[in-house]
């Protein structure tokens, strides 16, 4: 694998070998963890595997020169969303340990649908971006994001603020014991 | 750009406060609407003062803006020419060859406030002042003002007086918003406000179910068209957005960008055709063109000022305005430049004739005028569809005055002459003696409508017909002339029935409480042969339909609600002339019906008739028609307003555009080359066109005499008929519909409005309103069973033995199968609805995958 | 680095998420699978931002993160309520929508 990457690097000068290796390792871990999320028989394990996937996504963001998004990913997903999930698991009294019947009766239906979708997307992606090479790039300045958020995308930003407020109120109303 | 710099001359255009603040024209009535709703009932005049004051203020600003627009145009023509020295020489050469066509494009004055901005897409609201919008702004403000004055007296004492004025004011605001729109979003906003107000005002007396039914009919019919407006706008946006961003720095909703894009030759002809068709469907709905004209006569259920303002002179021309506003789209989409027989012209021609024919069989004076309006709108569409932009817009202008005047006169008659009845046969006749002023105004407007010479309609309608003929549409030319003759005939009939002969019914002083026009005649959906021949009921004879009218209860139609006591004083006295508040607007409009044609009399027509009108009298052509001259792109992109640099035609040697080099005087155009110029050839790189080079017909004496002769024949025939039929009751004519099958058939066909209402009601609505399942059920029951029966019958003929086999095996199987199919169509999809989220998810993703695969296959192959 | 890498990884994550949504019976697990799908989309957005040298993709990714947080909050609250009412969060027992 390393040789093939090196060969690739020779062919195309702009390919960064270290980056490719890092990407490959992280991607492998992510795919394994994601697969475990949907196959494991233990709900808590699934949540922990999900942490691995989310952390992997954050690492990929750093590779893709989006360090602010990466930091947000870590803080929001791993920090907040995962805690919510763990609380959700706890409050719904799922077994801590192996559990039977985590899958539907017709769960096999998911396999052809997922494979069909993947085949389709892989074909389209490879067909379109086969030769596109991303050159080395210095990370974007975070300042740029603030410029984008506060000028051209201000209205969606405000809209999202309202959505979050509504979601917070809605969650409280729904979860309250009456 | 270095070389190009020399060819562009800077042109200073004057501007002014009124033009830059023209948005106030629409804003003031909108504010007034809120004030009327909030405080109207507490005010001494019940809110009418807000409406009148706001429309008055709008009228003042519109007038100021109009004057400033004229100054702006003049500043371009005179100041610009003088500053450019040599340019005037070139202009002179052009003028000699093409007849003063080469005047610079006048940049509109745009004031915008951006209320939505996201990722480069901006929506603005504001004013866009050019010749067309200033003409309509002034017209709407003026007519609204007069109609509000008229309404002060006419609807006095109505139980929803305040709301009436609120809706009337909001309507004016909506129309003004639409007229001054600089982007399609604002145009749609104004368009929909008008639709809402039209609905509210038609159903003003909603206690009567006929009125609310008419309001709903109007609303839904126009709504069908509005779908076209939305679709057309979307098509235009996606077609022109990238071009607009690249070239003009605006977006695909901007009307100027749409105009320029349509003429740039960059849009595909299919896109333009689709957009034109969609937008024209909207115009058909709003302007009551065939086949969506059916709502307009029913809209007369509203109070007369509403009919006068909305449904004759302003709102219904919104469709015409839409076509005129983004004319380049239609010009290119329907290929008007090359004399393509456009959808617009065909619809306009059909509408002229069918609406005029329908006007013959109406007994209701307002419905005669309504069909007349439809017919006249057909003329405008016909003009637009054949490239006669200017005459069509001019006809909007003149038509507003005389048609508004006719409606107000009809309102005056019903108010004071016939005790709230609009039935010409039952309650009118001989009114000229009682209402001389109304009669005079009516006659002037009728002459204007029919196109008799010095009156307004002549100058505009004849110009349309003339241009249609000149553009090579001979058949439509004759259609237009035939329509003019029909107009003269039905207007003569209406005039005779209303003002001449012996007084009948209410006009004769017979006062029957329950006799209120709409309550009786117009509820019958279909007229049958038994009821067709209503004779005139004169004094002494028992009114035939009185009993039927009385059966319809107490408080119907164009009545002013509970406050009947207000009218007690004249109810007993028979017909008399109306009060000042009603007469003043009518007289003003009548004067304008006489004179407004002189805003744009074709000088050559004047010459041909021996009238020396001098030069420069074609005000509408001078100030309203946009000049079809290319404008250099980089300057036009930026700030609209103060100064614009213009491409001087002739400075750029371009043979394709019709200019050939000439050493002596720069360049002169190839004379008579109609294939060049904006809208006929692609504009130069770096320039855009905003308006196509429409051609103008040169009127000739023979054509004028022909059209006047046609009108005269129409008048003569109609007067002769009226005297013979209504006055002398000629035995051969009376009862003709009972004796002759053809006459009866034709009469019934017209009386039932070509059965279009029945078609819509019984076919379209019936099928749409029933669930589709019912149709499927019907199919199962009738078609499949019939097929099975057919198979069975065939088997019977083939022989007993075979019959038994087939019956047992095939037919029974087929019957069972058809039963199973019927059951399965109902139950077949049921298992999918398992109620399980996971199943739904897999179906969703599976369907998305299959859909995407289809798209990929389509793209690859 | 090839653009295909990011996009294929995102496609894999997306399809695993889809499988999870279809196959899982536990409502909390379905929500986790939805998080996988959202992250796959985000990864795509960031990758396109990198390819086009344009930060708008990152801005959208941030917005998606914000929406995802709201979605998890409301989703888990609903799951809690379902659990409280039925003492079970097995999705195949929830078939009120059956037609």
């Amino acid at each position: 694998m390393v040789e093939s990457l090196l060969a690739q690097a020779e062919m195309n000068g702009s390919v960064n070998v270290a980056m490719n290796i890092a990407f490959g390792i992280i991607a492998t871990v992510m795919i394994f963890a994601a697969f475990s999320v949907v196959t494991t028989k233990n709900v808590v394990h699934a949540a922990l595997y999900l942490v691995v996937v989310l952390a992997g996504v954050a690492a990929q963001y750093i590779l893709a020169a989006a360090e602010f998004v990466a930091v947000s990913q870590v803080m929001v997903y791993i920090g907040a969303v995962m805690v919510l999930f763990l609380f959700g698991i706890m409050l719904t009294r799922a077994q801590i340990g192996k559990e039977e019947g985590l899958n539907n009766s017709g769960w096999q239906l998911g396999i052809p649908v997922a494979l069909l979708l993947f085949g389709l997307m892989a074909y389209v992606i490879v067909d379109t971006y086969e030769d596109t090479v991303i050159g080395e790039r210095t990370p974007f300045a975070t300042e740029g994001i603030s410029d984008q958020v506060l000028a051209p995308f201000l209205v969606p930003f405000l809209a999202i603020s309202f959505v979050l407020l509504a979601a917070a109120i809605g969650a409280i109303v729904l979860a309250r014991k009456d | 750009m270095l070389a190009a710099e020399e060819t562009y001359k800077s042109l200073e255009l004057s501007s002014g406060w009124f033009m830059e603040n023209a948005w106030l024209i629409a804003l003031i009535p909108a504010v007034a609407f809120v004030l009327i709703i909030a405080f109207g009932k507490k005010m001494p005049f019940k809110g009418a003062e807000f409406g009148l004051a706001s429309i008055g203020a709008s009228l003042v600003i519109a007038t100021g803006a109009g004057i400033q627009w004229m100054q702006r145009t003049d500043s371009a023509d005179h100041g610009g020419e003088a500053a450019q020295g040599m340019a005037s020489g070139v202009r002179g050469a052009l003028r000699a060859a093409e007849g003063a066509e080469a005047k610079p494009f006048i940049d509109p004055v745009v004031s915008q406030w951006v209320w939505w901005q996201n990722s480069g897409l901006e929506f603005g609201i504001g004013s866009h002042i050019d010749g067309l919008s200033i003409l309509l702004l002034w017209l709407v403000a003026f007519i609204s003002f007069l109609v509000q004055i008229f309404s002060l007296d006419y609807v006095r004492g109505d139980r929803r007086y305040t709301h009436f004025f609120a809706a009337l004011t909001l309507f004016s605001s909506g129309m003004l918003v639409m007229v001054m729109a600089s982007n399609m979003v604002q145009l749609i906003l104004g368009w929909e406000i008008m639709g809402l107000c039209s609905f509210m005002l038609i159903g003003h007396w909603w206690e009567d179910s006929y009125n609310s039914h008419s309001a709903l009919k109007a609303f839904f019919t126009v709504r069908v068209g509005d779908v076209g407006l939305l679709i057309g706008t979307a098509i235009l946006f996606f077609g022109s957005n990238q071009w607009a961003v690249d070239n003009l720095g605006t977006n695909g909703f901007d009307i100027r960008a749409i105009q320029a894009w349509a003429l740039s030759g960059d849009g595909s002809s299919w896109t333009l055709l689709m957009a034109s068709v969609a937008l024209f469907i909207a115009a058909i709905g709003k302007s009551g063109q065939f086949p969506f004209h059916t709502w307009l006569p029913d809209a007369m259920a509203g109070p007369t000022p509403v009919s006068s303002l909305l449904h004759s002179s302003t709102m219904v021309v919104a469709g015409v305005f839409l076509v005129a506003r983004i004319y380049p789209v239609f010009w290119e989409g329907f290929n008007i430049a090359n004399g393509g027989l456009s959808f617009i012209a065909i619809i306009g021609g059909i509408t002229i004739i069918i609406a005029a024919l329908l006007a013959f069989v109406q007994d209701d004076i307002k419905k005669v005028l309504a069909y007349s309006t439809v017919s006249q709108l057909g003329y405008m569409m016909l003009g637009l569809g054949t490239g006669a932009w200017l005459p069509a817009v001019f006809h909007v202008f003149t038509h507003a005055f005389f048609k508004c005047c006719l409606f107000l006169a009809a309102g005056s008659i019903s108010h004071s002459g016939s005790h709230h009845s609009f039935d010409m046969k039952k309650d009118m006749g001989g009114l000229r003696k009682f209402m001389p002023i109304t009669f005079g105004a009516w006659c002037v407007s009728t002459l204007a409508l029919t196109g008799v010479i010095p009156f307004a309609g002549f100058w505009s309608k004849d110009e349309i017909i003339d241009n249609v003929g000149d553009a090579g549409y001979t058949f439509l030319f004759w259609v237009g002339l035939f329509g003019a003759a029909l107009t003269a005939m039905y207007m003569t009939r209406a005039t005779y029935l209303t003002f001449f002969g012996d007084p009948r019914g209410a006009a004769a002083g017979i006062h029957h409480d329950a006799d209120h026009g709409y309550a009786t005649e117009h509820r019958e959906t279909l007229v049958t042969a038994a009821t067709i021949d209503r004779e005139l009921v004169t004094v002494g004879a028992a009114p035939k339909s009185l009993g039927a009218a009385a059966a319809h209860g107490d408080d119907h139609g164009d009545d002013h609600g509970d406050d009947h006591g207000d009218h007690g004083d004249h109810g007993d006295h028979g017909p008399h002339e109306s009060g000042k508040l009603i007469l003043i607007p009518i007289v003003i409009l009548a004067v304008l019906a006489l004179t407004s044609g002189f805003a744009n009399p074709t000088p050559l027509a004047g010459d041909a008739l021996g009238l020396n009108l001098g030069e420069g009298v074609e005000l509408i052509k001078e100030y309203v028609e946009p000049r079809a001259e290319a404008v250099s792109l980089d300057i036009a992109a930026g700030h609209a307003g103060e100064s614009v640099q213009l491409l001087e035609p002739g400075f750029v040697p371009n043979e394709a555009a019709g200019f050939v080099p000439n050493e002596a005087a720069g360049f002169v155009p190839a004379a008579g080359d109609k294939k060049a110029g904006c809208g006929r050839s692609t504009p130069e790189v770096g320039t855009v066109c905003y308006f196509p080079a429409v051609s103008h017909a040169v009127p000739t004496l023979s054509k004028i005499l022909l059209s006047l002769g046609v009108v005269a024949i129409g008048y003569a025939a109609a007067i002769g008929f009226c005297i013979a039929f209504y006055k002398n009751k000629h035995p051969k004519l009376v009862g003709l519909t009972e004796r002759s099958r053809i006459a009866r058939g034709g009469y019934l066909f017209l009386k039932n409005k070509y059965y279009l209402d029945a078609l819509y009601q019984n076919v379209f609505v019936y099928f749409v309103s029933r669930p589709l399942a019912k149709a499927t059920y019907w199919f199962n029951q009738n078609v499949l069973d019939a097929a099975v029966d057919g198979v069975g019958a065939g088997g019977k003929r083939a022989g007993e033995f075979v019959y038994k086999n087939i019956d047992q095996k095939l037919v029974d199987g087929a019957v069972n199968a058809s039963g199973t199919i019927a059951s399965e169509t109902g139950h077949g999809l049921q298992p999918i609805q398992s109620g399980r989220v996971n199943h739904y998810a897999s179906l969703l993703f599976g369907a998305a995958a299959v859909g995407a695969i289809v798209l990929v296959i389509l793209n690859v192959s | 680095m090839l653009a295909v890498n990011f996009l294929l990884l995102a496609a894999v994550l997306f399809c695993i998420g889809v499988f999870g949504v279809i196959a899982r019976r536990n409502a909390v697990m379905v929500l986790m699978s939805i998080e996988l799908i959202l992250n796959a989309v985000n990864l795509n957005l960031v990758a396109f931002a990198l390819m086009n040298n344009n930060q708008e993709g990152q801005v959208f990714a941030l917005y998606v993160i914000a929406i995802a947080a709201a979605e998890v909050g409301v989703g888990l609250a609903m799951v809690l309520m379902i659990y409280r009412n039925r003492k079970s969060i097995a999705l195949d027992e929830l078939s009120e929508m059956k037609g």
Side-chain angles (χ1 to χ4, degrees):
Chain A
M1 184 174 169
V2 175
E3 279 100 82
S4 74
L5 281 171
L6 285 173
Q8 207 181 7
E10 266 172 46
M11 259 165 51
N12 196 322
S14 65
V15 173
N16 183 327
V17 182
M19 223 169 127
N20 265 312
I21 294 172
F23 175 86
I25 293 168
I26 298 168
T28 316
V29 172
M30 278 169 67
I31 291 171
F32 168 74
F35 199 68
S36 305
V37 169
V38 296
T39 51
T40 180
K41 296 237 182 282
N42 188 323
V43 187
V44 181
H45 286 186
L48 295 178
Y49 278 123
L50 187 61
V51 174
V52 175
V53 179
L54 298 176
V57 171
Q60 300 288 17
Y61 287 161
I62 290 175
L63 282 185
E67 81 295 337
F68 183 74
V69 186
V71 172
S72 308
Q73 168 90 5
V74 171
M75 294 205 300
V76 175
Y77 269 113
I78 303 176
V81 172
M82 283 319 300
V83 173
L84 270 181
F85 270 121
L86 291 173
F87 268 105
I89 293 168
M90 189 182 82
L91 288 173
T92 54
R93 311 231 176 98
Q95 292 175 23
I96 312 287
K98 284 200 178 175
E99 189 178 352
E100 294 305 316
L102 271 179
N103 278 0
N104 282 315
S105 52
W107 67 273
Q108 297 90 342
L109 186 64
I111 298 173
V113 171
L115 285 180
L116 181 71
L117 266 178
F118 179 71
L120 175 77
M121 284 196 285
Y123 169 74
V124 173
I125 290 167
V126 173
D127 192 51
T128 315
Y129 296 104
E130 202 171 3
D131 306 319
T132 312
V133 174
I134 305 170
E136 297 223 25
R137 198 157 282 150
T138 51
F140 293 110
T142 305
E143 192 189 350
I145 291 180
S146 70
D147 285 347
Q148 297 270 7
V149 168
L150 292 177
F153 297 109
L154 183 59
V155 176
F157 181 67
L158 294 174
I160 282 181
S161 320
F162 280 108
V163 169
L164 281 175
L165 179 66
I169 296 171
I172 291 168
V173 170
L174 283 176
R176 198 175 50 171
K177 272 188 188 166
D178 274 333
Chain B
M1 278 317 286
L2 283 175
E5 292 283 333
E6 295 162 25
T7 63
Y8 301 135
K9 298 291 176 187
S10 165
L11 190 60
E12 290 297 324
L13 290 171
S14 72
S15 186
W17 185 89
F18 285 112
M19 276 198 287
E20 279 158 17
N21 295 288
W23 46 272
L24 283 171
I25 300 172
L27 184 66
I28 293 171
V31 172
F33 163 72
V34 177
L35 288 177
I36 295 172
I37 290 288
F39 308 112
K41 292 212 163 151
K42 296 173 192 137
M43 300 301 288
F45 291 96
K46 305 281 180 208
E49 61 270 74
F50 286 128
L52 263 177
S54 66
I55 300 289
S58 292
L59 180 59
V60 169
I61 299 175
T63 310
I67 292 168
Q68 285 179 346
W69 173 258
M70 289 184 183
Q71 286 166 353
R72 184 180 173 84
T73 311
D74 288 339
S75 74
D77 288 352
H78 303 307
E81 244 177 80
Q84 286 162 36
M86 190 178 133
S88 59
V90 179
R91 282 230 180 89
L94 286 165
R95 191 166 288 165
E98 273 198 349
E101 292 282 337
K103 290 194 172 171
F105 180 81
I106 311 295
D107 218 34
V109 182
V110 182
S111 318
Q112 281 220 80
W113 176 66
V114 176
W115 59 271
W116 174 274
Q117 180 184 28
N118 189 17
S119 186
L121 187 63
E122 285 183 354
F123 292 162
I125 190 163
S127 59
H128 168 270
I129 299 301
D130 67 352
L132 178 62
S133 55
I134 205 74
L135 181 81
L136 266 292
L137 283 177
W138 185 82
L139 189 69
V140 172
F142 183 75
I143 301 274
S144 301
F145 188 65
L146 291 185
V147 169
Q148 290 218 350
I149 293 176
F150 179 89
S151 307
L152 282 179
D153 198 8
Y154 190 82
V155 289
R156 173 167 295 151
D158 189 85
R159 72 182 84 113
R160 280 187 292 278
Y161 186 79
T162 307
H163 287 123
F164 178 82
F165 272 91
L168 215 56
T169 312
L170 181 65
F171 159 75
S172 301
S173 177
M175 180 90 186
L176 294 166
V177 162
M178 189 203 77
V179 166
M180 64 169 62
S182 69
N183 58 57
M184 293 303 286
V185 179
Q186 188 182 344
L187 193 142
I188 291 171
L189 172 74
W191 183 281
E192 297 297 352
I193 291 176
M194 285 193 293
L196 174 70
C197 290
S198 171
F199 170 75
M200 291 197 296
L201 287 167
I202 295 171
H204 183 68
W205 292 308
W206 46 260
E207 285 86 350
D208 187 353
S209 69
Y210 174 77
N211 293 346
S212 62
H213 181 255
S214 298
L216 282 174
K217 183 176 177 184
F219 194 64
F220 289 143
T221 312
V222 174
R223 221 74 199 73
V224 172
D226 287 355
V227 175
L229 181 64
L230 296 181
I231 293 173
T233 307
I235 295 174
L236 281 180
F237 174 76
F238 288 112
S240 69
N241 190 41
Q242 196 56 48
W243 188 91
V245 170
D246 292 345
N247 291 301
L248 296 177
T250 55
N251 59 56
F253 285 118
D254 190 61
I255 285 176
R256 297 189 69 203
I258 291 169
Q259 290 171 335
W261 168 76
L263 290 174
S264 70
D266 292 341
S268 82
S269 56
W270 261 104
T271 313
L272 282 162
L273 181 62
M274 288 294 115
S276 328
V277 170
L279 289 170
F280 187 59
I281 286 171
I284 286 177
K286 201 70 155 181
S287 286
Q289 299 292 290
F290 177 83
F292 290 163
H293 63 273
T294 53
W295 70 269
L296 191 54
D298 282 323
M300 297 304 137
T304 307
V306 173
S307 310
S308 175
L309 177 62
L310 274 70
H311 304 118
S312 72
S313 51
T314 54
M315 189 192 84
V316 289
V317 303
V320 179
F321 172 80
L322 176 72
V323 178
R325 173 49 92 201
I326 47 174
Y327 197 53
V329 175
F330 297 95
W331 176 268
E332 293 289 330
F334 290 132
N335 200 8
I336 295 171
N338 300 324
L341 189 58
S342 71
F343 189 36
I344 305 180
I346 295 168
I347 292 290
I350 294 173
T351 309
I352 291 172
I353 299 298
I354 64 148
L357 287 175
L358 285 173
F360 278 98
V361 295
Q362 303 303 319
D363 295 335
D364 183 312
I365 189 168
K366 275 170 79 181
K367 290 206 172 184
V368 173
L369 296 177
Y371 280 115
S372 163
T373 304
V374 172
S375 178
Q376 297 302 309
L377 290 166
Y379 274 106
M380 298 170 200
M381 285 298 182
L382 176 65
L384 288 172
T386 54
W389 189 92
L390 172 66
V393 172
F394 185 38
H395 199 50
V396 169
F397 180 70
T398 56
H399 175 258
F401 297 125
F402 55 71
K403 188 54 65 63
C404 188
C405 183
L406 285 171
F407 267 104
L408 293 187
S412 165
I413 292 162
S414 104
H415 189 73
S416 315
S418 59
H419 196 77
H420 311 310
S421 167
F422 287 102
D423 194 319
M424 293 191 295
K425 282 192 174 169
K426 196 153 53 78
D427 285 319
M428 294 184 191
L431 286 172
R432 70 180 189 284
K433 295 182 202 104
F434 304 109
M435 312 180 80
I437 302 176
T438 307
F439 174 62
W442 173 280
C443 283
V444 169
S445 302
T446 301
L447 291 171
L449 171 64
T450 49
V452 175
I453 187 138
F455 297 94
F458 167 77
W459 303 105
S460 54
K461 193 157 77 176
D462 262 29
E463 218 175 316
I464 291 178
I465 297 173
D466 203 9
N467 272 285
V468 170
D470 189 61
Y473 301 91
T474 315
F475 179 70
L476 289 174
F477 171 75
W478 286 105
V479 165
L481 277 180
F482 182 55
L486 290 178
T487 312
M489 291 187 212
Y490 66 71
M491 284 312 291
T492 308
R493 173 178 173 272
T495 309
Y496 184 87
L497 283 175
T498 309
F499 291 105
F500 292 88
D502 296 319
R504 300 175 293 275
I510 297 174
H511 181 204
H512 26 72
D513 260 338
D515 182 18
H516 292 308
Y518 281 97
T520 52
E521 291 316 303
H522 308 283
R523 309 200 153 202
E524 305 157 13
T525 45
L526 286 182
V527 181
T528 53
T531 60
I532 56 176
D533 209 24
R534 290 177 65 223
E535 287 187 44
L536 302 183
V537 184
T538 50
V539 187
K544 258 166 113 180
S545 56
L546 202 60
H552 272 286
D554 40 19
D555 218 28
H556 282 312
D558 206 4
D559 183 13
H560 299 169
D562 300 321
D563 230 341
H564 221 137
D566 236 25
H567 298 287
D569 56 336
H570 66 249
D572 303 321
H573 293 167
H576 59 95
E577 188 58 281
S578 301
K580 279 196 187 107
L581 284 175
I582 287 183
L583 287 179
I584 288 171
I586 293 178
V587 170
I588 293 174
L589 285 167
V591 170
L592 279 164
L594 176 59
T595 56
S596 64
F598 291 96
N600 198 44
T602 33
L604 284 160
D607 290 349
L609 292 164
L611 297 165
N612 187 12
L613 296 165
E615 266 201 45
V617 289
E618 288 181 285
L619 294 176
I620 306 280
K621 186 178 174 187
E622 172 79 14
Y623 296 113
V624 173
E625 189 180 65
R627 280 78 181 276
E629 292 303 323
V631 178
S632 72
L633 197 60
D634 48 341
I635 311 297
H639 39 73
E642 290 320 299
S643 91
V644 61
Q645 290 187 317
L646 298 152
L647 172 69
E648 288 303 329
F651 272 56
V652 181
N654 174 25
E655 307 220 355
F659 301 117
V660 291
N662 180 321
E663 283 88 351
F667 309 101
V668 294
D673 186 359
K674 272 194 166 185
K675 295 286 171 206
C678 280
R680 297 182 192 274
S681 56
T682 312
E684 293 275 308
V685 175
T687 68
V688 288
C689 285
Y690 290 113
F691 192 73
V694 294
S695 58
H696 299 104
V698 179
T700 57
L701 187 59
S702 57
K703 276 187 178 172
I704 291 168
L705 289 180
L706 175 65
S707 63
L708 285 176
V710 167
V711 171
I713 292 168
Y715 267 120
I719 291 171
F721 176 80
C722 282
I723 290 175
F725 185 78
Y726 294 124
K727 189 173 182 198
N728 299 337
K729 303 204 187 307
H730 199 280
K732 275 190 179 171
L733 288 169
V734 175
L736 185 67
T737 47
E738 278 165 13
R739 292 195 301 274
S740 158
R741 282 183 82 90
I742 302 166
R744 184 166 66 236
Y747 185 84
L748 275 178
F749 190 54
L750 290 176
K751 195 79 189 172
N752 291 321
K753 300 172 255 180
Y754 307 111
Y755 296 96
L756 275 177
D757 273 341
L759 178 77
Y760 294 156
Q761 198 69 37
N762 299 337
V763 180
F764 296 148
V765 176
Y766 184 87
F767 275 109
V768 173
S769 65
R770 297 291 185 284
L772 212 61
K774 222 158 197 172
T776 324
Y777 178 74
W778 179 88
F779 184 80
N780 270 329
Q781 291 298 309
N782 295 9
V783 180
L784 286 184
D785 276 9
V788 172
D789 287 352
V791 172
K796 205 170 193 175
R797 265 184 238 109
E800 198 66 35
F801 182 71
V802 184
Y803 167 72
K804 273 183 179 168
N805 277 344
I806 290 177
D807 187 51
Q808 295 307 312
K809 292 181 180 170
L810 188 74
V811 181
D812 260 17
V815 170
N816 288 339
S818 77
T820 315
I821 290 167
S823 166
E824 285 302 308
T825 45
H827 299 289
L829 290 172
Q830 207 177 10
I832 298 173
Q833 304 294 328
S834 62
R836 303 240 315 260
V837 186
N838 306 79
H839 280 183
Y840 291 140
S842 58
L843 280 172
L844 176 71
F845 284 112
V850 171
I853 287 172
V854 170
L855 284 178
V856 168
I857 291 170
L858 285 178
N859 257 334
V860 168
S861 59
Chain C
M1 176 166 258
L2 288 169
V4 182
N5 292 356
F6 279 119
L7 303 182
L8 279 181
L9 174 63
V12 172
L13 282 184
F14 184 87
C15 294
I16 292 175
V18 167
F19 171 77
V21 169
I22 295 171
R24 288 310 210 180
R25 188 161 166 262
N26 185 319
V28 179
M29 306 279 277
V30 169
L31 280 178
M32 286 188 201
S33 305
I34 291 173
E35 291 307 309
L36 280 182
I37 295 177
L38 284 170
N39 270 283
V41 172
N42 258 354
L43 199 55
N44 257 2
L45 284 172
V46 170
F48 281 121
L50 183 68
M51 279 164 64
N52 297 329
N53 199 12
N54 187 337
Q55 264 177 310
E56 285 180 14
Q58 297 188 10
V59 174
F60 275 99
L62 284 172
Y63 286 169
V64 172
I65 290 175
I67 293 291
E71 172 253 324
V72 169
V74 177
L76 282 172
M78 286 164 68
V79 169
L80 270 186
M81 204 169 78
I82 291 169
Y83 178 78
R84 205 176 292 144
N85 287 336
R86 309 175 63 110
K87 298 292 167 207
S88 160
I89 50 169
L91 285 178
D92 50 1
E93 290 168 18
L94 297 172
S95 54
E96 271 79 16
M97 282 197 288
K98 185 169 169 60

